[in-house]
Structures are given as C-alpha cells and as structure tokens.
C-alpha cells in the first residue's frame, strides 16, 4: 500500500466522520508536502493508518449492527429457561438503540430493514413505542421527536440476578461484538441482585423505559403527600350524627381485626402530622355480617383529615340533605356482600360510540356517537360532532324523544363527566375545546379553550366547580367553571396524557400517560409530587379510593396496579383482564374495586385483602397470594366503556354491543 492510497483512506475516514476542518487541514498538508521537494517522505504511520481504516470499516458498516444483534438474540433465546426471561429483557433496549444509531449515522434504508426484521419480537410488550419509532426517518427526527430524544439521553434500568449478569458479561467478552458492547455499556444500567432470578409474572418494574429514571422518581416520591380526607366533609357530618361506637365495641372490633391497628399506624405515619384518627362509625345497616366487616367497610373514617387548598363551593341545604339521605341508605359491600349491577348496552352503534358516562345517582347518562341514525328503545345514535344526554327513567325532554341532543363541538367527543349534583355536564373533544352544558337548560354555557391538541379526558372534582383535563399536548390543566382560562398547567409527561382523576380531598390530581407512567400533582403549586413507574403500556383509566390513600390504574394490556400514595409504591398488580382496562371504580366504602375492560367483562376485586402488607411467614410466592378477584361478570359481546358506583353502592356499567368483540 503506497502513500497515496494511505492518504486516500485517511481522507475518506475523516469525510465519513464529518470532520471537515480536519480533512481540509490534512489535504493542505499533503499539497504542501508534494510541492516541497526537499521535504522528507510523509510521516504517516502505515500501521496506524491500517488500524484507522479497519476501525472505520467496523464502525460504519451497518452489517455489524445486524450481525451483533442477531448473535445476541440467538444466544438469549437458546439460554436455559431459568434465566432466559431475564436475558431477553436486554434485547429490546439494544434493538431500539441499534436502530437509532443506524439512523443517526445516515444508514436509513439499512435501519428500516433492521427494524422490520426484528420488530415482531417486541410488539407484544412495546407496540406503542415501536409505532412512535417507526416514524423516525432521518437523523433530524431523532432530535425533533421528544420520545426518541429522551431515550438517547437517558439509560434504561434493568433488574437482573447476579448469575444472569455474569453470563451476559462472559458472552460479550467472548464474542467481542464492539457495537453491541458499546450500546450495553452506554445505554443500560443493570441493577444486579443476589439469589434466584425473579419470576416472569412479577417483573412489572424490572425494565424501566422512561425519560424519568427510577432514581428521579425515588427523589420525587420522597415529598410529603397529605392523602387524608377533607375536614368537615359530608361523610364526617353523617358519622358524627350517627354516633360513635362505645369503648367496649371499639375494643372488640380492634381485637377481632388486628389489621385495623396496622392500618391506623400507617395512616398516622403517612398522613398529616397531628391529624386525629377518627373512630369507626356505627353500622346501622340491617343484616351486616358483623363488626369485622364494619371495621373494614369504614376504613375512610380512620383516614387523617386535611385542609383544602382550593376555595370550595358552598353546597345548598337541599342538595346536602339529598346526599346525606343517600349515604344513610348506602349498602355496605364486602367480599361476601357483592353489589347489584345495572348494565346499559348500546346497540346498532356501528363502532361509533366514543365515550359514555353515568351520573352519581344513575338517573342520567351521557354518550357520544359517531353517526346519525334512528332511535331504537333507549339507544341514541347521532352525529360525531354531537353529545347526547338522556334520562331513561323519566324521559328528560319534552315531546316524544327520551333524550336531549346537545350540539356544539366540531369534532368527536372523547370524554364526558357529570357534576356531583348532576346539573352540569362537561365534554372534551378532538376540536381541542371543553364545553360546559346545563342539564336543566339543555344548552351549552361555556366553551373553554387552552389545549392545542385533542382533549382526551375531562373530570369534575368531587365537590364540583373545579375540573381537570388532559390532552395530546402532553399536559393536564385545572379549570374552574367561572373562568375561561386554566388555573394550573401540569407539564412533565413525555407523551399523551390519556386520563385524569381527582383525589378525594381535591388537593391532588393524578394523570395517566402513554409514556407508561402515572403522576400525582399538587393542585396549588402545580408540582409533581409522585411518579408511579411499573406499567408496560399506556394508562387508560384511574380511580382513587374513598379514604384517599390508594390509587388504581389500568393499562392497555389489561393490567391493573394498586398504588400506595404515601410511599409511591405498587401494593399489588391485579392480573386477570386480557385486553384494555377502560374504566375503574371504587365502591363508596372502598372495600371493592370494579374494573371494566375491552375483553367484555366486569371484574370485582377485594381491595381489603389486596392492600394488606404481606406477612414474612406466609408463602413467599411473590404477590400472587395477595391477589383476589371476587367475581367476573361477562357480557355476551359488549366491551365495558364506563363504570360508576352510585352513592348507595349500586354499580352502573355501560358499553356498546360489538360483533367483533370476544368474551374472556
């Protein structure tokens, strides 16, 4: 190899790397050496040039990525079954970073070939991520797309046992695949633990693919959260009016249910300092199973009391008496006393039902349709730009129609919610607006504009007047009925904010996102005070327990996770649904959780047993021994869109008949 060839190789390498100034200086030096006849031969080291050329070829040939990943994939799939599921966790982050590295280096066609060849391996767990990355077609897209940019800026946390980690290191050193070794070293943070590999069914938090790393979440989750109930609430007034248990009865209840004491200790530690623990109210419901049930059913009365951060609206005496009457006649539910269920099925919707909602007393329903058709029974079909409310019991409107047609949105309505009293309805639409409707005047009152993209969800606060919305613009916003501009804007999610839910004391809102995280926000400061990491797909539904301590979240894969707001940790995953969990609802005393899914079932879960801490002397089989599904209520072919417990603990559900749906 002569000097001219060496110079050409070096020049080609500098050009590939984009070192324009260095290449220009190198060319100037070559020209200077040629014109200077007295100068000595070029001082370029032959061996160094060859090594430089070899390194250039290894680094820039796309085939190296394909070959390295293929070998790692084959090795992982051929590993022992005991360790295979842990080693397979490494493949996905390596896959996406190989793809993004190829795009960043300008090998667009090779990147697409690589992506399409191996994407099927990861579609089951990471379909949403793959759909986003599929749109990356140039190096500039990596910088412009926030999701891709966040992946390249942060590491992936993977939990793995010591032996699996050592096997992976041995493989990497043996094969000497520098490309894969570099990606793993730069992009993955291994959290190695001693002992046996974790079980496949208990690895919800073992792979964290999020811009917010677990360390960041841990720091945020150290902030204090006053999760108790509001002072002087209606439930507290009813409790005082009903009287308190005598000391002997209270002692008997605490003796029979030792877990109540544990719960009191935890509430004292997690709640506001100095908040008094309320006594258990007397259960006057006839036929109650016993004092143990009463202690479990009234866990909300043991929650600490906190002051509101928002100025709360005044409730009229008439409305207050109506609510108190419902609370007095509430049916106490438990694992042995399941609720009655009233299910509303919409037929002939032609896949046009976007959303549905039920009022607190079950007398009113609201839904959005995509097509205009004929009324059949209690089914209403309408244009995609409309929202409709109806009273199926009394026929809320005049004339022959048993429904009221509300028109105003210029796009599909994605969510609707009733005020606690039922006199107002909020709707959010793809037209980026939120509308306030009066059920008494049957008219639109206000159009709220603030979001820049479709608004996926809107929810009234438990006391009315205030409401929260979330959007494709990756923000959530807090509004009040008397102002057309938002009071607070919550920004921090890396993708769409798909659902929003108020805390029982109105001091916090929770948001679920397509970035697979749930966040808890302080409504007064707009600050994120909790990040919940563990879901593997987008979060579609949220629910808060009546005592304000626990939160449930449901995702696209059918997984429900129960979170402790005081610690920010997952208490237990609830596994059972086989498709999207579209709706969640706690019973009024908090002993049961209802979940509605696209798998055409409503499931009832025992919250009391699921939220108890595991005992050290129990069977160490993960959290499976604490999961308790009480009952599955299948529909013939109706995905469940919405759920609502009335104040008297009757469970309402609604969905649209779907010929393509299959029962669980």
């Amino acid at each position: 190899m002569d000097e001219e060839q060496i110079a050409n190789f070096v020049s080609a390498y500098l050009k590939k790397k984009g070192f324009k100034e260095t290449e220009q200086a190198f060319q100037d030096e070559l020209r200077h050496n040629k014109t200077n006849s007295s100068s000595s031969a070029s001082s370029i080291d032959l061996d160094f040039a060859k090594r430089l050329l070899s390194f250039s070829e290894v680094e820039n040939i796309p085939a190296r990525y394909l070959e390295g990943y293929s070998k790692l994939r084959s090795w992982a799939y051929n590993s022992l079954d005991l360790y295979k599921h842990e080693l397979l966790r490494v493949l996905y982050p390596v896959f996406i970073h190989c793809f993004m590295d190829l795009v960043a280096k300008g090998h667009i066609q090779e990147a697409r070939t690589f992506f399409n060849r191996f994407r099927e391996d990861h579609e089951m767990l990471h379909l949403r991520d793959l759909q986003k990355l599929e749109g990356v077609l140039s190096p500039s897209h990596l910088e412009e797309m926030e999701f891709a940019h966040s992946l390249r800026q942060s590491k992936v946390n993977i939990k793995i046992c010591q032996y699996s980690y050592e096997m992976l290191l041995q493989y990497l050193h043996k094969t000497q695949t520098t490309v894969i070794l570099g990606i793993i070293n730069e992009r993955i943070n291994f959290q190695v633990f001693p002992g046996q590999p974790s079980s496949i069914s208990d690895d919800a938090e073992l792979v964290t693919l999020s811009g917010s790393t677990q360390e960041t979440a841990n720091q945020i989750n150290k902030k204090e959260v006053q999760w108790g109930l509001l002072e002087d609430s209606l439930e507290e007034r009813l409790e005082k009016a009903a009287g308190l248990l005598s000391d002997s009865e209270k002692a008997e209840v605490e003796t029979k249910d030792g877990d109540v004491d544990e719960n009191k200790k935890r509430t004292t530690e997690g709640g506001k300092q100095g908040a008094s623990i309320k006594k258990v109210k007397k259960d006057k419901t006839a036929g109650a199973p016993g004092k143990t049930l009463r202690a479990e059913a009234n866990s909300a009365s043991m929650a600490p009391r906190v002051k509101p951060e928002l100025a709360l609206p005044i409730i009229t005496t008439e409305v207050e008496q109506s609510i108190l009457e419902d609370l007095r006649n509430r049916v106490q539910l438990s694992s042995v006393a399941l609720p009655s269920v009233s299910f509303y099925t919409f037929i002939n919707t032609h896949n046009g039902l976007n959303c549905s909602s039920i009022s607190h007393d079950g007398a009113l329903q609201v839904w959005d349709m995509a097509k205009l058709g004929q009324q059949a029974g209690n089914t209403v079909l309408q244009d995609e730009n409309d929202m409709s409310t109806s009273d199926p019991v009394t026929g809320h409107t005049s004339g022959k129609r048993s429904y009221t047609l509300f028109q105003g949105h210029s796009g599909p309505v994605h969510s609707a919610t009733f005020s606690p009293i039922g006199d107002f309805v909020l709707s959010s639409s793809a037209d980026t607006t939120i509308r306030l409707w009066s059920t008494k005047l049957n008219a639109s009152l206000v159009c709220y504009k603030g979001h820049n993209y479709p608004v996926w969800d809107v929810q009234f606060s438990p006391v009315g007047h205030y409401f929260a919305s979330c959007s494709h613009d990756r923000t959530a916003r807090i509004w009040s009925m008397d102002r057309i501009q938002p009071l607070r804007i919550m920004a921090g999610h890396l993708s769409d904010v798909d659902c929003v839910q108020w805390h029982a004391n109105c001091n916090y809102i929770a948001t679920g996102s397509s970035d697979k995280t749930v966040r808890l926000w302080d409504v007064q400061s707009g600050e994120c005070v909790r990040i919940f990491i563990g879901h593997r797909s987008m979060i579609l539904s949220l629910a808060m327990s009546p005592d304000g301590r626990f939160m449930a979240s449901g995702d696209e894969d059918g997984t429900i996770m129960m979170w402790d707001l005081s610690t920010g940790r997952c208490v237990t995953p609830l596994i059972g649904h086989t498709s999207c969990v579209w709706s969640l609802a706690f019973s009024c005393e908090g002993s049961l959780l209802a979940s509605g899914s696209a798998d055409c079932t409503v499931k009832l879960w025992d919250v009391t047993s699921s939220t108890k801490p595991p005992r050290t002397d129990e069977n160490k089989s993960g959290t499976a021994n604490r999961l308790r599904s009480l009952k599955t209520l299948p529909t013939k072919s109706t995905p469940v869109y919405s759920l609502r417990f009335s104040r008297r603990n009757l469970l309402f559900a609604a969905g649209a008949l779907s010929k393509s749906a299959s029962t669980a």
Side-chain angles (χ1 to χ4, degrees):
M1 182 180 292
D2 55 26
E3 294 181 3
E4 184 176 355
Q5 288 178 314
I6 295 174
N8 290 336
F9 284 135
V10 174
S11 179
Y13 173 75
L14 295 175
K15 186 175 182 180
K16 287 181 180 179
K17 299 298 289 184
F19 300 144
K20 295 182 180 180
E21 296 182 0
T22 306
E23 180 189 0
Q24 184 63 40
F26 179 71
Q27 294 292 347
D28 293 343
E29 184 177 353
L30 288 179
R31 286 193 292 270
H32 176 73
N33 289 338
K34 289 180 180 179
T35 56
N36 189 356
S37 58
S38 61
S39 64
S40 59
S42 176
S43 60
I44 300 177
D45 185 87
L46 182 61
D47 292 335
F48 173 75
K50 289 181 178 180
R51 289 196 300 270
L52 189 64
L53 177 63
S54 176
F55 177 76
S56 172
E57 292 175 346
V58 169
E59 186 178 12
N60 289 279
I61 295 179
R64 299 289 180 178
Y65 286 91
L66 179 63
E67 180 184 358
Y69 180 79
S70 298
K71 289 182 177 179
L72 177 64
R73 178 178 178 272
S74 299
W75 173 79
Y77 275 104
N78 292 324
S79 300
L80 294 174
D81 291 340
L82 181 62
Y83 305 100
K84 180 189 296 186
H85 69 278
E86 284 199 334
L87 297 173
L88 289 177
R89 296 175 194 149
V90 182
L91 293 184
Y92 178 64
V94 173
F95 166 75
I96 59 175
H97 282 292
C98 282
F99 168 72
M100 290 190 292
D101 282 356
L102 287 172
V103 172
K105 295 178 185 296
H107 303 293
I108 307 300
Q109 187 58 45
E110 292 85 350
R112 304 309 306 172
T113 302
F114 175 85
F115 185 84
N116 293 329
R117 178 173 176 179
F118 299 109
R119 68 172 295 168
E120 291 185 0
D121 294 343
H122 313 289
E123 284 184 341
M124 181 176 293
L125 295 178
H126 307 287
L127 180 60
R128 298 283 296 185
D129 290 352
L130 297 179
Q131 290 173 342
K132 295 175 184 178
L133 292 175
E134 198 171 18
V136 176
L137 302 175
S138 68
S140 62
H141 288 173
L142 293 176
E143 297 297 328
E144 295 171 359
M145 181 182 292
E146 187 168 350
F147 175 70
H149 181 70
S150 65
L151 288 176
R152 291 177 66 81
Q153 294 297 318
S154 60
K155 286 189 174 184
V156 178
N157 296 320
I158 296 181
K159 292 183 180 179
I160 192 171
C161 76
Q162 182 70 37
Y163 192 74
S164 297
Y165 180 68
E166 291 176 355
M167 285 195 299
L168 178 63
L169 290 182
Q170 290 177 2
Y171 165 79
L172 294 173
H173 287 298
K174 181 179 179 180
T175 57
Q176 290 294 317
T177 51
T178 55
V179 171
I180 303 301
L181 183 61
I183 289 176
I184 291 177
N185 180 64
E186 184 180 357
R187 306 294 186 182
I188 299 178
N189 177 35
F190 289 102
Q191 298 176 351
V192 183
F193 61 89
Q196 294 297 315
S198 58
S199 62
I200 300 177
S201 61
D202 193 31
D203 62 349
E205 299 184 17
L206 298 181
V207 179
T208 304
L209 286 172
S210 168
S212 298
T213 63
Q214 189 65 54
E215 291 79 6
T216 304
N218 290 339
Q219 288 297 118
I220 293 179
N221 291 351
K222 292 179 181 178
K223 298 177 182 178
E224 182 184 6
V225 170
Q226 298 179 3
W227 55 266
L229 300 181
L230 287 177
E231 295 178 347
D232 197 31
S233 63
L234 290 179
E235 294 237 6
E236 188 174 359
R237 295 180 199 174
L238 181 64
E239 175 187 337
K240 293 177 179 179
L244 302 174
L245 287 174
S246 65
D247 294 338
S248 59
E249 287 177 317
K250 181 179 177 183
E252 186 178 355
V253 169
E254 292 176 349
T255 302
K256 288 188 175 182
D257 190 2
D259 292 321
V260 175
D261 288 332
E262 297 178 11
N263 197 19
K264 286 184 178 180
K265 293 178 181 178
R266 287 185 277 126
T267 55
T268 304
E269 295 171 356
K272 184 179 180 181
Q273 296 295 329
S276 61
I277 304 301
K278 304 296 180 181
K279 296 182 180 180
V280 182
K281 67 179 180 181
K282 182 178 293 184
D283 182 11
K284 294 188 175 181
T285 305
K291 294 184 177 63
T292 302
L293 171 59
R294 280 181 254 166
E296 291 181 353
N298 294 285
S299 60
S301 64
M302 296 184 292
R305 265 44 179 182
V306 300
K307 294 182 179 180
E309 295 181 358
L310 296 173
L312 301 184
I314 299 175
I315 302 177
T316 62
T317 304
E318 181 181 357
V319 172
E320 180 178 334
Q321 292 301 320
S322 175
I323 296 176
L324 288 175
E325 181 65 21
D326 286 337
L327 297 181
R328 291 189 189 99
N329 291 280
R330 175 184 295 169
V331 177
Q332 295 293 343
L333 302 179
S334 70
S335 58
V336 295
L338 300 182
S340 298
V341 183
S342 178
F343 197 101
Y344 296 90
T345 299
F346 295 87
I347 61 175
N348 299 325
T349 62
H350 307 290
N351 296 323
L353 184 68
N354 286 343
C355 62
S356 65
S357 181
I358 303 170
S359 63
H360 290 266
D361 58 3
L364 299 174
Q365 298 177 63
V366 59
W367 60 88
D368 172 70
M369 306 299 298
K371 294 184 179 180
L372 186 64
Q374 299 297 324
Q375 180 183 355
N378 287 332
T379 301
V380 179
L381 305 181
Q382 63 189 52
D383 187 86
E384 68 174 5
N385 302 333
D386 302 332
M387 183 194 56
S388 166
T389 63
S390 76
D391 184 345
V393 179
T394 62
H396 190 65
T397 60
S398 60
K400 296 181 179 180
R401 296 189 307 170
S402 62
Y403 66 91
T404 301
L405 188 64
F406 287 165
Q407 295 179 328
H409 285 294
S410 60
V413 177
H414 293 296
S415 177
T417 178
F418 281 95
S419 64
I421 304 173
D423 51 349
F424 296 105
V425 174
L426 282 168
S427 61
S428 64
S429 171
D431 64 10
T432 74
T433 68
I434 303 165
R435 284 186 176 268
L436 178 69
W437 312 81
S438 171
T439 58
K440 295 180 179 179
L441 302 177
N442 296 332
S444 175
L445 302 180
V446 187
C447 180
Y448 301 95
K449 299 180 181 180
H451 289 288
N452 301 318
Y453 291 93
V455 185
W456 300 132
D457 194 15
V458 62
Q459 293 292 328
F460 260 115
S461 75
V463 297
H465 187 69
Y466 301 100
F467 59 95
S469 62
C470 59
S471 167
H472 177 62
D473 61 15
R474 303 193 297 272
T475 69
R477 302 177 188 229
I478 296 177
W479 312 71
S480 64
M481 291 172 56
D482 57 350
R483 297 189 182 185
I484 61 172
Q485 297 297 329
L487 305 178
R488 294 286 183 275
I489 299 177
M490 282 72 171
H493 281 293
L494 303 176
S495 188
D496 293 35
V497 185
D498 299 296
C499 53
V500 63
Q501 187 61 251
W502 284 84
H503 190 271
N505 62 23
C506 301
N507 291 338
Y508 305 96
I509 64 166
T511 55
S513 171
S514 294
D515 66 12
K516 307 176 188 178
T517 68
V518 181
R519 290 174 179 250
L520 189 71
W521 308 83
D522 188 309
V523 299
Q524 185 63 35
S525 64
E527 181 183 12
C528 178
V529 294
R530 288 289 182 272
I531 300 179
F532 305 95
I533 298 176
H535 282 283
R536 292 182 171 181
S537 59
M538 62 186 295
I539 289 87
L540 300 176
S541 54
L542 295 168
M544 292 285 183
S545 65
D547 64 358
R549 175 163 190 180
F550 298 104
M551 176 182 67
S553 56
D555 65 22
E556 189 179 33
D557 292 337
T559 301
I560 303 169
M561 305 194 81
M562 190 78 70
W563 307 92
D564 187 333
L565 297 185
S566 61
T567 63
R569 296 183 178 275
C570 176
V571 178
T572 180
L574 306 177
I575 310 297
H577 285 295
T578 58
S579 188
C580 309
V581 179
W582 281 336
S583 184
L584 293 168
F586 279 94
S587 60
C588 294
E589 75 291 320
S591 61
L592 300 180
L593 173 70
S595 58
S597 170
D599 64 10
C600 302
T601 64
V602 175
K603 288 183 178 290
L604 299 175
W605 308 86
D606 187 354
V607 175
T608 307
S609 64
S610 298
T611 55
K612 288 180 181 178
R615 300 180 185 275
T616 56
D617 56 345
E618 287 181 349
N619 181 18
K620 298 180 180 179
S621 58
T623 58
N625 61 337
R626 291 187 284 124
L627 301 180
R628 191 178 182 191
S629 176
L630 295 175
K631 193 170 186 178
T632 298
L633 305 171
T635 64
K636 289 184 178 180
S637 188
T638 305
V640 184
Y641 285 18
S642 60
L643 294 170
R644 165 82 72 181
F645 276 97
S646 71
R647 293 191 180 97
R648 301 193 181 193
N649 261 341
L650 174 63
L651 178 58
F652 294 97
L657 185 68
S658 175
K659 294 181 180 179
S660 60
S662 59
T663 57

